[in-house]
Amino acid sequence: KLHGVIAFFRLTYRNSGLQFRLRLGPQYIARQIRVPEGRDFAPPPPAYWLWNARMGISGRLGSREFDFSVEGRNLMKAAYREYLNRFRYFGLDPGRNIRFRLTVRF
């Protein structure tokens, strides 16, 4: 399966111990072409694009190191089916996904 990630926009800013990161870009998933004939119930799904973004900040808070990030996948809420997902026979893959992550080192 051919797939790739392209970051159209990437920004990193550091100031007095803090680091700010921002990344925005598409992810392209090509149509699966290496499929044995007669071995699957349905043809491979078509290619699709997903738009993803991630923003984070890291640094020190007192004596502790921390990292906080917010990540959004499939921001345009594209309807797609992942070839390796066995549920693709029954429905679409998940839509927009937003994740918050906080890591503190002790």
Side-chain angles (χ1 to χ4, degrees):
K1 175 172 137 168
L2 171 69
H3 93 226
V5 177
I6 304 168
F8 273 163
F9 181 76
R10 181 177 288 196
L11 173 71
T12 302
Y13 175 74
R14 293 184 183 116
N15 185 14
S16 67
L18 290 178
Q19 180 180 7
F20 175 78
R21 301 172 310 275
L22 178 65
R23 185 176 65 190
L24 171 68
Q27 179 180 9
Y28 176 74
I29 308 296
R31 182 175 182 270
Q32 177 63 267
I33 57 173
R34 293 175 291 198
V35 179
E37 290 189 35
R39 293 281 192 134
D40 208 345
F41 299 114
Y48 56 90
W49 288 87
L50 301 177
W51 282 87
N52 306 317
R54 182 177 180 156
M55 180 178 70
I57 186 167
S58 59
R60 296 188 75 81
L61 191 60
S63 63
R64 307 269 188 238
E65 292 181 20
F66 75 93
D67 184 55
F68 176 75
S69 64
V70 178
E71 180 179 7
R73 299 199 61 203
N74 193 8
L75 294 174
M76 304 306 256
K77 206 171 176 184
Y80 68 97
R81 293 175 193 256
E82 172 69 42
Y83 179 73
L84 295 177
N85 183 355
R86 293 297 177 189
F87 289 113
R88 72 182 166 92
Y89 301 117
F90 311 107
L92 298 173
D93 274 67
R96 191 176 298 124
N97 186 1
I98 309 281
R99 298 181 205 178
F100 296 89
R101 180 179 302 170
L102 175 63
T103 305
V104 179
R105 289 190 180 203
F106 290 96

